[in-house]
Amino acid sequence: MLDLAVLPLPAPVHDKLDSVLRGFLTESGPRFDFSSPSGEQALVGPDSVSWRIFKNQVALFIGGVAAVLLELGEPNVRDGVWHHTSFRTEPLKRLQRTGLAAMVTVYGAHSRAEAMIAGVVRAHDRITGVTSEGEPYHANDPALLDWVQATAGFGFMEAYHRYVRPLSQAEREALFREAAPAARLYGAVGAPASEADWARMLEGMRDRLTPSPIVSEFLDIMQRVDALPRIANPMQVALVKAAVAILPPWVRTRLGIGEEYHLSRRERIAVGLAAKAADRLLLKSSPPVQACRRLGLPDDYLYRPAH
């Protein structure tokens, strides 16, 4: 019997949501099998804070948008992302690939996660150019990799903390430690190892972050892309605003993000309800459930009280 922490769903509703999730994770490419090889561990273990946080798709969406906003504030990362990816032309497929990469990094079997990351590193090695400010950039520049790793970690952690449940300081520090194995594989050897490291890195970027029309274009795309059914577009707009809300006020000012992205009280309540519900949503085809099966754990393992 499933633990009462799992949100009870009628079978037709579960199957529909499960089908939507499978489609989201496979539409941009072949299906990744999180259930094999049997018994093989991931880069981090099932008792980690990461395994519990990354199962929440609402928090991941919010955190991912916040991370990209921080990345687009750094000119070298901004131009590398915007001019060498399909964000502008195929934003949904780009979101799907990014979401799948995050799932593989956390829940995929160690050998398969390493292979996926190696492919990303090879792809990044071909990305070079000159920014609109005249600076040369290379996607595998360790400083840029450190920033991307740091912003992703901050986004996912802060979104969960703000909208699902408060994370203890011990949990926040654990997230930095748990991110280290994947960060090294990506080449982000100087990524923050603690929250204090992240605070210093962010402060050091104060004069580096710059506004750009690309930031506004990205926010507009994220509000319009069909990440959710059309009927749920108001919620999608609220999720984008929720991502803006977790950025420090001075960052919003530096990036030129205006009051039109202010999260109202009503929207904040709706986002909180959605995020908390997502934390109890067990879908049998989801990467965390499939990864638990790979390790011989019950489907509801991550929905039980922390071990």
Side-chain angles (χ1 to χ4, degrees):
M1 180 179 294
L2 293 178
D3 189 272
L4 292 177
V6 173
L7 188 67
L9 292 175
V13 175
H14 170 275
D15 293 347
K16 176 62 176 176
L17 292 174
D18 206 43
S19 175
V20 170
L21 176 64
R22 285 198 306 272
F24 185 86
L25 291 175
T26 60
E27 191 170 328
S28 63
R31 179 178 179 272
F32 185 94
D33 186 2
F34 289 88
S35 66
S36 66
S38 179
E40 185 174 333
Q41 292 287 336
L43 292 172
V44 291
D47 290 338
S48 63
V49 181
S50 298
W51 271 49
R52 289 182 171 264
I53 283 182
F54 275 74
K55 76 179 189 298
N56 191 305
Q57 296 297 319
V58 172
L60 290 189
F61 182 90
I62 296 170
V65 172
V68 173
L69 287 169
L70 285 164
E71 292 163 19
L72 294 178
E74 206 290 332
N76 290 351
V77 179
R78 179 194 68 213
D79 283 24
V81 168
W82 212 245
H83 300 307
H84 295 275
T85 72
S86 57
F87 245 127
R88 301 175 83 173
T89 57
E90 296 180 306
L92 184 57
K93 286 189 176 181
R94 175 66 185 183
L95 283 176
Q96 290 165 331
R97 287 195 294 268
T98 302
L100 179 60
M103 293 292 101
V104 173
T105 299
V106 175
Y107 298 114
H110 193 291
S111 60
R112 295 187 174 180
E114 282 191 331
M116 184 275 294
I117 294 172
V120 172
V121 172
R122 287 193 298 272
H124 284 173
D125 208 42
R126 299 190 293 269
I127 298 176
T128 61
V130 178
T131 69
S132 52
E133 288 87 353
E135 295 184 33
Y137 63 84
H138 189 287
N140 274 340
D141 179 340
L144 302 187
L145 295 172
D146 291 345
W147 178 242
V148 170
Q149 175 71 27
T151 58
F154 163 78
F156 298 141
M157 175 178 71
E158 197 61 25
Y160 194 93
H161 175 78
R162 191 80 61 93
Y163 301 113
V164 183
R165 68 167 179 83
L167 295 169
S168 69
Q169 192 59 42
E171 288 175 312
R172 294 170 75 88
E173 296 298 336
L175 283 169
F176 285 99
R177 292 194 303 272
E178 291 165 11
R184 287 192 293 269
L185 291 173
Y186 277 111
V189 294
S194 66
E195 191 160 19
D197 286 348
W198 160 245
R200 284 190 290 270
M201 175 179 279
L202 182 60
E203 181 61 29
M205 295 293 288
R206 187 178 286 268
D207 295 330
R208 180 70 181 165
L209 297 181
T210 56
S212 166
I214 289 174
V215 171
S216 296
E217 188 176 354
F218 168 73
L219 285 168
D220 183 59
I221 289 172
M222 292 309 300
Q223 290 182 102
R224 291 185 293 103
V225 66
D226 293 329
L228 298 176
R230 290 290 177 89
I231 195 172
N233 183 256
M235 175 55 74
Q236 186 169 318
V237 170
L239 294 178
V240 173
K241 291 180 179 180
V244 171
I246 67 175
L247 298 176
W250 71 263
V251 171
R252 288 176 244 158
T253 300
R254 288 287 296 175
L255 298 184
I257 301 175
E259 284 300 309
E260 66 271 26
Y261 289 101
H262 172 72
L263 185 69
S264 71
R265 182 175 180 274
R266 180 177 295 179
E267 288 171 325
R268 185 180 297 275
I269 290 171
V271 169
L273 290 173
K276 289 176 176 62
D279 216 46
R280 301 173 57 204
L281 184 61
L282 188 160
L283 299 177
K284 295 187 182 300
S285 295
S286 68
V289 170
Q290 291 297 309
C292 283
R293 291 180 177 181
R294 185 181 76 243
L295 298 177
L297 300 171
D299 287 2
D300 66 337
Y301 183 78
L302 298 175
Y303 299 82
R304 297 175 177 182
H307 305 87

